Amino acid sequence: MDKRNALKRIAAGALLASAGGLLVACSKKGPEFKGVDVTGAEYARDLPLTDHNGQQRSLKDFAGKVVVVFFGYTQCPDVCPTSMVELAEVKRSLGKDGDRLQGIFVTVDPERDTPEILKAYMANFDPSFLALRGTPEQLASVAKDFKIYYKKVDGKTPTSYTMDHSAGSYVYDTQGRLRVYNRYGSGAQALASDVQALLNEAG
């Protein structure tokens, strides 16, 4: 009788251990990011805007690539060029994997940032990077979805205004899911680490 009970206890223990193993396997953690982990976020879902080549774009176009999105404008004196230089640095640091990174710049100043100006601006950093623009209404809709703040600040002349805007990058995995928010000032190394982690995750 004792032997039978002992066998029952061993079987129950084995079953619990097995279940525990399954639990550990199911709750396998994803990569630990240097930026803010926003995996599962219900915002910043798409970018239905036109690129500087006149092509209508969507995040689905970049399946298989890690996508980094930054909002800014070409006459920005500091934050925007710094962010784009860092993104170009990230791409170079990835070596061959750099081909699996897509940089996207969304202008918050479509009034002055024409397709021609945006194309020339992207060429300063990396010719594979794309700049997107839309009508004021389209921009307002996308900015709302991305929780982006932007506002025109009047200058001395009607065309010398500046734009206040949020500064930070949105990082998507190879399946087009938002995963990381990279704060401005984090540096190229932190962003490169997160991009590489997502590329490794995709295999």
Side-chain angles (χ1 to χ4, degrees):
M1 189 73 175
D2 287 345
K3 187 177 179 183
R4 190 180 302 163
N5 287 336
L7 285 171
K8 280 181 180 178
R9 283 198 297 272
I10 290 168
L15 193 64
L16 281 170
S18 173
L22 284 172
L23 202 62
V24 170
C26 289
S27 62
K28 186 182 177 186
K29 287 180 72 177
E32 290 192 10
F33 300 119
K34 305 287 186 186
V36 181
D37 189 336
V38 290
T39 300
E42 291 295 320
Y43 57 91
R45 290 159 294 189
D46 204 359
L47 281 167
L49 299 169
T50 305
D51 70 21
H52 60 245
N53 297 312
Q55 186 174 340
Q56 183 71 24
R57 288 296 188 175
S58 166
L59 284 170
K60 290 183 290 186
D61 297 339
F62 310 109
K65 293 186 177 185
V66 169
V67 178
V68 179
V69 178
F70 180 83
F71 287 75
Y73 68 113
T74 63
Q75 295 191 42
C76 173
D78 40 39
V79 173
C80 303
T82 299
S83 298
M84 297 311 293
V85 164
E86 287 183 353
L87 187 52
E89 188 181 325
V90 168
K91 182 175 179 180
R92 285 193 300 272
S93 73
L94 292 170
K96 286 192 297 184
D97 275 347
D99 291 337
R100 298 167 66 198
L101 170 65
Q102 180 62 58
I104 292 182
F105 178 90
V106 181
T107 180
V108 295
D109 185 17
E111 186 179 333
R112 291 182 298 190
D113 286 344
T114 64
E116 294 76 21
I117 287 174
L118 289 168
K119 186 172 185 177
Y121 189 69
M122 289 297 98
N124 291 322
F125 308 107
D126 190 287
S128 74
F129 291 173
L130 290 172
L132 305 186
R133 71 190 294 272
T135 65
E137 293 76 21
Q138 288 171 327
L139 174 60
S141 176
V142 168
K144 183 179 180 182
D145 185 37
F146 276 72
K147 304 182 185 297
I148 283 288
Y149 167 83
Y150 67 101
K151 183 181 179 182
K152 183 189 285 190
V153 180
D154 291 337
K156 291 181 180 178
T157 67
T159 57
S160 67
Y161 61 85
T162 58
M163 299 293 296
D164 282 349
H165 63 91
S166 304
S169 300
Y170 297 79
V171 187
Y172 294 79
D173 65 19
T174 58
Q175 296 182 55
R177 298 174 301 196
L178 179 60
R179 301 292 299 279
V180 183
Y181 180 75
N182 183 266
R183 292 190 180 98
Y184 173 71
S186 301
Q189 195 172 351
L191 180 56
S193 173
D194 290 346
V195 170
Q196 188 67 70
L198 290 173
L199 289 173
N200 292 344
E201 182 184 69

